[in-house]
Amino acid sequence: MDEGRKVISDDFARQLSPETALPVAAIKTLIGVIRRSTNTTIRGMEAELKEAIQLMEDKMETDSPDNSRSTISLTSGCQLFLRHVSRFVAESVGEEGFDESCKQQLLHRGERFAEVSETSREQIARLGHNFVRDGTVVLTHGYSRCALHLLLMAAETKVTLACSLREGRPDGAGFKAAAALSKVGVPVTVVLDSAVGYHMEMADLCVTGAEGVLENGGIVNKVGTFQMAVLAKAYNVPFYVAAESYKFARLFPLDQRDLPKGKIPRAPFAAPEGTPESVATFSPSVDYTSAEYITLLFTDLGALTPSAVSDELIRLYGEA
Amino acid sequence: MLQQCQRKATCRCSTVQNRGCGVIGMEQSYRSNMRSLSVDYSHGGKPTGFDVASMDVRAWLQQWPRVLSQLETLVVGLKRRQVSGPYNCAQFTVELYRNLVGSCKWGTAGQLMDAVREVGKELVAAKPSELAVGNMVRRVLYIIRDEYESAFSAGDGSGGGQAATSASLTSPSASRGGGGGGGGHGRANSRGESTPRGAATGGAGGAAGTAEGGGLGPSLTGMLGGQFGATDFGRSCPDLRQNVVASISELMTELRDMRGVIKEHAKDTIHANEVILTFGNSATVDAFLKAAAGGAKDGLNFRVIVAEAAPLCSGHVLAKSLAKHGIDTTVISDSAVFAMMARVNKVILSTHAVVANGGLIALNGSHAVALAANDLSVPVVCVTGLFKLCPLFPHDQDTFNCLLSPAAVMSFKDKDSMRNVEVLNPAYDYIPPNLVDLYITNMGGLQPSYIYRLLAEYYHRDDLIISPSDEQAS
């Protein structure tokens, strides 16, 4: 059994590359689990998959000791895949059991699913880049592959486009995105997270990515997104979110702290020397932005209003 | 003969002034153009199916001169604004398509869809700002897809799960299809009436509505069900022509009856002694207000304030018509809208188009009215038929706008003394969805946030882009 756990864990580590999104890596790992599996019952197979998911979640937590990475998208991607498996079973396996041909069919579909997930970033960019008009000033936050892809595609087709990025404390991810944009000739300014209010009146639109898209159409994203969204609303600046559909999670938080345990990772944040012991520091690395602040979500399913997200989720999980 | 027809059409157009002439007059002239087309069924050689790669759609349509000249007349009519207004545009577009599907020999469903798309490009290019034309092209394409897929899913239903398309897995369209191939129209109807209304009445209806919403659009569910590739539209489907023509005829009926259905909501919307403000002229608003006023017996007493909608002042026409019906009517200038808003109970607006995010493309000046209403918390109600529902996004004020002749704003007499002045007369305004409180449509009352669901109901994702100009806005 430990042997099996090690294979899964290694496979997952191999799949995780900077260019692959966490959920896609997880889905590919799960396909590997099915391929290797010798289980002949569908129950057994599902149990095996669930175990693998648990393993990956644990691994994410142990690998980043300070919990700096959110596992929301990992869980949502895996849930989606599990749902996919059980739907497949309900449709085509029936009572007589799970044989080799079923397994092949399941693998085939799983691979297509992974393929589609991989191309979704391209689709989102194609959908969203038209929202960025010539000469607009875009305010974005942190480093999101999805939002960046969209901006790069917009930069290809537009004559002028200026981007302001927020530095994205604590890990300074804004600089990484700024470098990518400036390489293609987009005028980029990196601004302080705390200066978002100063810059909002100059912005024409805001685009961010998301760690997870929640059931009410809100998002969980890098800390600082929420204040940007609130300010955007105050200034009537449209606030767009670019996110793949495998990030749709079945969570319905009521406030910032109402996320499942372990889903709000802490960011490293040390008090300067000389601070009394009694002063506590706290720095979450993600925050929750509720649906009312979001204008539209660009997903591979189309440009959705926040209420459309809950619709999709209910349709998928509701008919069990 | 065709050339003759066209010449005739052109002549007639040149005598009709582009602006300032009532739409009805233009429609009549368009109609008479249509009548003057005589029928010629003779064509040399065997008719061939349409192949988008190798032939131009006009060249292909030459085999059916009647359809071709109908296309030409409509294109000319659109260009010359003989055919204008969303309703007329939609109606003539659907008429053209019914003839095209009914009388041309188009081959497979895929070839038919190519032909529909190519004709659609011509029509949209003739007048891009008439968004209803593109909407109808998409509706026709959706009808073809729907009929084609339901023909096969009904046939495959007994053969086990593996052949059923994902569309039928995600939604009860499979069970709808179970009625057999001939059940096409009944299905379309039940989809049209039950789903949105049920879900629109409140949050409770949501769950019932979602299951139906699967449609042909993309969804998480579809993605999981293996709905990745495009459907193959190359298979032969013997009843397709008949079913599609029947569905298109139904669409025409839907268009025709639309105002009547919308009118039914008038009594629930407008109450006794209310003050209603409206902007410009619209046949739908006119019918709606008259329905609310009722007859001598069940008459309702309310006041209407009409903002004139300068520079064309179409509001005057509406005011006259309402006054003739015995409704207490006041005309105000557009600049007095805010001043009057304090005593208004409801604002009723018509629209040129409803866009994908639930916003409006409406008569120039409507945005100011909506903002004034919003400032004083007066509800804004938009009455519109759903053929105006456009699946494109307005990215900014200019995307769907066009400029009209500046003569209405400033007389040409002054042109010498005003040499350096630019005079603009934009046709439309974009009103963001948060300024509209309610849509009253032929599907009942809807919230702006519900619009996205109707899009999946009416249009297929792959059909959103018809002409290159759409690509900017999708």
Side-chain angles (χ1 to χ4, degrees), chain B residues 142-193:
Chain B
Y142 189 94
I143 285 173
I144 299 168
R145 282 173 196 275
D146 197 29
E147 292 299 341
Y148 182 82
E149 294 197 359
S150 67
F152 285 104
S153 65
D156 293 343
S158 56
Q162 104 283 354
T165 62
S166 61
S168 56
L169 291 172
T170 54
S171 72
S173 62
S175 53
R176 286 192 239 129
H185 341 155
R187 271 201 323 281
N189 254 343
S190 71
R191 180 184 60 224
E193 280 166 15

Side-chain angles (χ1 to χ4, degrees), chain B residues 306-433:
Chain B
V306 184
E308 61 179 1
L312 295 180
C313 294
S314 57
H316 298 174
V317 182
L318 178 69
K320 261 181 227 160
S321 161
L322 293 179
K324 203 180 269 178
H325 194 78
I327 299 173
D328 182 351
T329 313
T330 312
V331 175
I332 57 168
S333 69
D334 300 337
S335 39
V337 162
F338 193 88
M340 294 300 272
M341 196 57 83
R343 59 179 68 188
V344 170
N345 295 101
K346 266 185 201 92
V347 173
I348 294 189
L349 289 181
S350 66
T351 186
H352 177 68
V354 180
V355 284
N357 60 355
L360 298 177
I361 304 285
L363 188 60
N364 182 33
S366 308
H367 193 181
V369 176
L371 279 171
N374 199 49
D375 195 59
L376 294 163
S377 297
V378 176
V380 176
V381 178
C382 173
V383 286
T384 175
L386 283 175
F387 65 99
K388 293 182 188 173
L389 180 64
C390 176
L392 305 176
F393 284 94
H395 294 294
D396 55 7
Q397 290 271 358
D398 301 326
T399 312
F400 290 127
N401 223 331
C402 60
L403 291 171
L404 300 177
S405 156
V409 180
M410 184 180 283
S411 163
F412 284 129
K413 277 197 308 231
D414 305 328
K415 74 177 175 8
D416 289 329
S417 56
M418 296 278 194
R419 209 161 264 286
N420 294 323
V421 178
E422 191 181 15
V423 182
L424 292 180
N425 184 12
Y428 308 115
D429 252 356
Y430 164 63
I431 304 177

Side-chain angles (χ1 to χ4, degrees), chain A residues 84-96:
Chain A
H84 163 65
V85 171
S86 56
R87 280 183 68 96
F88 171 79
V89 171
E91 280 160 25
S92 37
V93 179
E95 296 300 311
E96 62 273 11

Side-chain angles (χ1 to χ4, degrees), chain B residues 204-226:
Chain B
T210 25
E212 284 243 357
L216 300 174
S219 66
L220 270 181
T221 330
M223 211 167 97
L224 292 188

